[in-house]
Amino acid sequence: MLLLIIATKMIQDFLIPFATIALAEMGDKTQLAMMALAAKHRHTMQIFLGAMLASVIVDGSAVALGNYFSKYMPRAPVSIAAGTLFILFGIYSLLTKEQEQGKTAAVTKRSVFFAAFALFFVSEFGDKSQLAALLFGTQYNLLLSLLGALAGIAAVLVIMLRIGKYVSKHLSEKTIRLLSSLLFIGIGLFTLLRALGAA
């Protein structure tokens, strides 16, 4: 009986953060940005790894440092930085073309990885998933709640990357570049306006 109670508690400590974070991340600006990256670039694994590394850092730090940041660090500067990065990345995407295969493939993979990492990191820092990870860390088992949150983010990320790959097969490179650039810029403007309105 005791083992059943412990097992139930462990499942709850994992599943509640998993389901909550997955639902919160559906249609989130960060996930839309990752979808746009996947539509524009063929290196889906690099996008996934970059985004998940950023998520591990952001949500992992939430458990230890989230309380401090939520109390003493204003969210507006972080949101302004995130919005600016989205806009700059959108402009950059609009002005550049996908690099050719061959000798630049390794550089392209690296740049896609770091682009995904940077976008995910700045947009999730102080976002609802980080704050939720902090909250879950105070209510449930620390490790299980963090694993549940990361699994929720990963599940949604896989779906969005698949959608991005599907889009890339049915639209021309020029159309994808235009749409993804406009999406990045739109997300950036929305983030900036919301941050400036809250400041």
Side-chain angles (χ1 to χ4, degrees), residues 58-59 61-62 66 69 124-135:
V58 169
D59 294 317
S61 68
F69 284 122
E124 286 294 297
F125 195 82
D127 196 48
K128 58 184 178 291
S129 62
Q130 188 188 31
L131 299 176
L134 170 64
L135 177 62

Side-chain angles (χ1 to χ4, degrees), residues 14 21 28 57 69 75 89 97 106 154 157 163 187 198:
F14 178 85
I21 294 292
D28 187 69
I57 294 171
F69 284 122
R75 292 180 62 181
F89 196 82
K97 294 183 179 181
L157 185 58
I163 292 172
I187 291 171

Side-chain angles (χ1 to χ4, degrees), residues 98-181:
E98 177 75 10
Q99 294 182 356
E100 294 178 4
Q101 291 181 327
K103 61 180 180 180
T104 58
V107 176
T108 303
K109 285 183 180 180
R110 198 177 305 120
S111 64
V112 169
F113 173 87
F114 284 116
F117 174 85
L119 282 175
F120 202 99
F121 185 88
V122 298
S123 60
E124 286 294 297
F125 195 82
D127 196 48
K128 58 184 178 291
S129 62
Q130 188 188 31
L131 299 176
L134 170 64
L135 177 62
F136 289 136
T138 64
Q139 301 295 316
Y140 304 106
N141 177 275
L142 205 62
L143 179 60
L144 290 173
S145 62
L146 179 59
L147 290 175
L150 293 175
I153 290 170
V156 177
L157 185 58
V158 167
I159 293 170
M160 298 305 281
L161 293 179
R162 294 291 295 173
I163 292 172
K165 283 288 122 189
Y166 176 82
V167 169
S168 70
K169 291 177 181 177
H170 293 84
L171 295 175
S172 68
E173 183 184 333
K174 184 177 180 181
T175 303
I176 291 170
R177 191 167 67 246
L178 176 62
L179 292 175
S180 62
S181 299

Side-chain angles (χ1 to χ4, degrees), residues 11-94:
I11 292 170
Q12 171 187 290
D13 290 354
F14 178 85
L15 284 182
I16 291 177
F18 172 82
T20 306
I21 294 292
L23 287 172
E25 287 290 308
M26 267 306 174
D28 187 69
K29 65 183 185 301
T30 312
Q31 297 290 345
L32 292 174
M34 295 302 106
M35 181 188 73
L37 269 181
K40 187 174 188 307
H41 301 286
R42 65 187 180 278
H43 306 303
T44 310
M45 183 56 71
Q46 279 68 31
I47 298 170
F48 179 82
L49 292 175
M52 286 309 299
L53 177 60
S55 180
V56 167
I57 294 171
V58 169
D59 294 317
S61 68
V63 177
L65 303 174
N67 188 38
Y68 173 83
F69 284 122
S70 66
K71 286 183 177 178
Y72 303 109
M73 184 176 180
R75 292 180 62 181
V78 176
S79 296
I80 290 171
T84 303
L85 183 61
F86 272 113
I87 292 171
L88 290 175
F89 196 82
I91 294 170
Y92 175 78
S93 297
L94 194 60

